[in-house]
Amino acid sequence: MDPSDDGSSVRGNADSDSDNEICGDGSGPIEPFSDAESFYDTLKAEFKAGKGIDSHGTYPVPADALVSPRQRVQMVVTELWSISGYRFTVKDHKKLKSGHRTRLWCSQDEARKKKSKALQNPDIRNRDHLGMKRFSCGSKLSVSCRARRNDERTYDVIVQLKHAGKHISYEDVSMPPEALDMVRDNVQWLTPVAMVTKVQATFPSVTSAQIHRAWMEMSQPFWCFDKDQLLSTKKLLEEHTDDSDGDVDNTNSKHLELYSIMGEQDGAGFPLSYLLLSTASSIDQGKRTQALTAWAKCLWDTYGIDAKFTHVDKDMAEIKMLKDVWDAKISLCWWHLRQSVRRRARAHAEFSFIDVAFIPAEQADGGEYEGGIPETVTPVVPASRPQTITMANGLVIRIPARPPPASASPNTAAAAASTTRSETERTPEDPRADLGRVLTSIEGTEKKTRCTFCPPRYHDAIVNMMEKHYCAHPLLPGYAPPNPDGIKCWAVSQMYKFCVDHGLREVWAYLWENWYRRSRWELWARSVNPEIPVLKTTMILESHWRCIKHDFLHHFHMPRCDLLAWILIVKLAPSYYRKLDR
């Protein structure tokens, strides 16, 4: 802490100091020294001996119109920091009629440690830190500078220092002034990440978090125009009318999501527009779709931007927006498609070769869809009514609906004949029998088998097969029919046969419902459009987000909107201008 800082709320007002108050707090006689050099030499010898310090001395200094008594006290405290190796924290300042006095204590004094308080700001994460080591050093430091009564051209510096025992020196973790100067000189030209490399090459002890914090504080005059984030962002956009064309709605400034529309040129991505959308007021999918549609329509109306292909992950709100604004082929990102299938590694009306009895043993959750809630989907088979049981202790247990039984086969008949008497006596309509079986399984008296959705040995085969279906196109002859309908029939037949051959009922139900039925097939298959898109994934946008987070926002948790807008307009945009020119 700087000697001029006040470590407590106690501040002294102007007070009288009599002639006999030269001894400070009256703790004993003061040893006089002829000058500052002799006083500091004596202190150095005492600290070098490694014993406790109990010093009370004074020395004269000539009056200087450019140095106030308070500034003189600050200079003395800084010199004591250097001599002792300890750092002293300010307790209070007191203005005297003839000068100034400051009281301090050792920052590593165990008796002076303040209890930590949890911050009340909901956006702050409270963390436990080990902090510096503490010692029982019984520290006390009082430094005063007073003008002599009969000689206004001379001041007396009085120092009282007590420090019991020797302990490890204070480790200064603050940034050196030279490092701050490097940040200040390059704040407009270097990214925080590049600045970390430059500063740490000269000052290895400075952390990257310190550099990021200094960069944000020193760049604040360039992007912070108001305490309110959104009002500040609006003023920032008005300052950069040549580089941006936008406005900020008066919405909640917390929990804003950043969206971007990018265009492709020679395989490289270029950002065209950004949107800050509040997740607090637009969390509902209908509201989010409406906001995204208004944004894209504004881009279309203002700049006439058209698109032949649009690449997106499986977000139904974004897909709905693209359908409403642009009459373009929607192409799902292959990387996101592959990830979705790996995570989750009904249809007789359209393809006659599909057997309606090839369905999962239990009904799927009607409310579960990838990418959000899509259009209404008719269940594969009629569902029976679920059963609800209330236990004696008030616990309510819901047993899901049972699907209609398939036709019995010799294997199922043999399995039924081998059941125990207690199992055959249970009536299927009695839900309490099912409950008893579940509870018995939980208690461990009966081993319950669990069906695996998709065994790991089939994961790669399914994903590789879907990639062939994804890339197949009439302009690429070879392994598929030369027309869109033929490619779809070939793809569905191939995947269905694979699932039947390996008994993957649940996998087939998932693949059909989420990927191969008509409204989903058109989202990801390239064969439905006469042209082939250049891109296969949304990696140009993912790379753009990674650049923003890695180069600028790595150490910033929930940055201000105006800081984010300044980074996008002033820091990122020029790099894309240069890339486009090249």
Side-chain angles (χ1 to χ4, degrees), residues 199-310:
V199 174
Q200 288 184 341
T202 308
F203 304 96
S205 61
V206 177
T207 65
S208 56
Q210 288 178 305
I211 298 173
H212 276 75
R213 191 181 304 111
W215 178 86
M216 184 183 69
E217 293 175 355
M218 293 180 183
S219 64
Q220 190 167 344
F222 299 103
W223 51 263
C224 186
F225 295 88
D226 195 276
K227 292 183 178 180
D228 182 84
Q229 298 184 36
L230 294 180
L231 183 58
S232 176
T233 306
K234 186 174 183 179
K235 293 180 179 179
L236 174 67
L237 295 176
E238 293 172 354
E239 287 283 332
H240 296 273
T241 54
D242 294 337
D243 300 319
S244 65
D245 182 11
D247 199 354
V248 181
D249 294 332
N250 187 16
T251 58
N252 186 1
S253 62
K254 293 184 178 180
H255 306 292
L256 293 171
E257 284 188 346
L258 179 64
Y259 291 80
S260 177
I261 294 177
M262 299 191 72
E264 177 269 334
Q265 174 69 23
D266 290 339
F270 297 89
L272 304 178
S273 179
Y274 295 98
L275 170 69
L276 286 170
L277 184 62
S278 171
T279 57
S281 59
S282 302
I283 191 171
D284 180 73
Q285 182 159 337
K287 291 183 178 180
R288 191 161 63 95
T289 302
Q290 184 178 2
L292 293 173
T293 302
W295 169 48
K297 191 174 185 303
C298 179
L299 190 63
W300 165 275
D301 295 339
T302 306
Y303 299 103
I305 293 178
D306 197 2
K308 290 185 177 181
F309 296 93
T310 55

Side-chain angles (χ1 to χ4, degrees), residues 92-110:
D92 60 17
H93 297 286
K94 187 173 183 179
K95 184 178 180 181
L96 308 174
K97 284 185 177 181
S98 60
H100 182 83
R101 186 190 72 187
T102 298
R103 293 189 297 175
L104 311 93
W105 57 61
C106 180
S107 59
Q108 295 169 279
D109 195 332
E110 188 175 15

Side-chain angles (χ1 to χ4, degrees), residues 43-324:
L43 280 182
K44 288 180 182 178
E46 293 184 14
F47 276 109
K48 189 175 181 180
K51 299 179 181 179
I53 304 296
D54 189 357
S55 176
H56 201 179
T58 179
Y59 59 89
V61 293
D64 188 344
L66 300 178
V67 180
S68 66
R70 178 164 179 163
Q71 291 173 334
R72 180 73 64 181
V73 170
Q74 295 175 12
M75 295 166 61
V76 173
V77 173
T78 303
E79 186 67 24
L80 292 175
W81 286 353
S82 176
I83 293 173
S84 64
Y86 306 140
R87 181 63 62 93
F88 292 88
T89 300
V90 174
K91 177 185 179 183
D92 60 17
H93 297 286
K94 187 173 183 179
K95 184 178 180 181
L96 308 174
K97 284 185 177 181
S98 60
H100 182 83
R101 186 190 72 187
T102 298
R103 293 189 297 175
L104 311 93
W105 57 61
C106 180
S107 59
Q108 295 169 279
D109 195 332
E110 188 175 15
R112 304 294 187 175
K113 182 181 180 181
K114 294 182 180 180
K115 293 183 179 180
S116 59
K117 296 180 180 180
L119 298 176
Q120 301 302 319
N121 191 333
D123 296 331
I124 297 296
R125 295 182 181 179
N126 291 287
R127 297 180 172 90
D128 294 329
H129 295 281
L130 294 177
M132 68 177 72
K133 292 184 179 181
R134 300 280 177 168
F135 305 92
S136 302
C137 51
S139 62
K140 178 181 180 181
L141 174 60
S142 176
V143 181
S144 60
C145 181
R146 310 179 185 186
R148 290 182 178 179
R149 170 177 289 186
N150 300 324
D151 186 3
E152 295 182 355
R153 294 176 299 178
T154 305
Y155 279 77
D156 288 315
V157 175
I158 307 166
V159 179
Q160 182 183 8
L161 174 61
K162 290 184 178 181
H163 196 280
K166 184 179 181 179
H167 57 71
I168 61 174
S169 300
Y170 178 88
E171 182 181 356
D172 189 2
V173 295
S174 60
M175 287 187 67
E178 296 81 1
L180 292 173
D181 291 340
M182 293 178 65
V183 176
R184 185 178 295 104
D185 294 340
N186 296 278
V187 68
Q188 295 191 67
W189 318 112
L190 296 180
T191 66
V193 172
M195 198 172 296
V196 168
T197 304
K198 182 179 181 65
V199 174
Q200 288 184 341
T202 308
F203 304 96
S205 61
V206 177
T207 65
S208 56
Q210 288 178 305
I211 298 173
H212 276 75
R213 191 181 304 111
W215 178 86
M216 184 183 69
E217 293 175 355
M218 293 180 183
S219 64
Q220 190 167 344
F222 299 103
W223 51 263
C224 186
F225 295 88
D226 195 276
K227 292 183 178 180
D228 182 84
Q229 298 184 36
L230 294 180
L231 183 58
S232 176
T233 306
K234 186 174 183 179
K235 293 180 179 179
L236 174 67
L237 295 176
E238 293 172 354
E239 287 283 332
H240 296 273
T241 54
D242 294 337
D243 300 319
S244 65
D245 182 11
D247 199 354
V248 181
D249 294 332
N250 187 16
T251 58
N252 186 1
S253 62
K254 293 184 178 180
H255 306 292
L256 293 171
E257 284 188 346
L258 179 64
Y259 291 80
S260 177
I261 294 177
M262 299 191 72
E264 177 269 334
Q265 174 69 23
D266 290 339
F270 297 89
L272 304 178
S273 179
Y274 295 98
L275 170 69
L276 286 170
L277 184 62
S278 171
T279 57
S281 59
S282 302
I283 191 171
D284 180 73
Q285 182 159 337
K287 291 183 178 180
R288 191 161 63 95
T289 302
Q290 184 178 2
L292 293 173
T293 302
W295 169 48
K297 191 174 185 303
C298 179
L299 190 63
W300 165 275
D301 295 339
T302 306
Y303 299 103
I305 293 178
D306 197 2
K308 290 185 177 181
F309 296 93
T310 55
H311 298 264
V312 68
D313 58 6
K314 202 174 185 182
D315 186 298
M316 299 309 297
E318 297 177 6
I319 291 174
K320 181 68 165 55
M321 174 264 287
L322 295 175
K323 287 183 176 180
D324 293 342

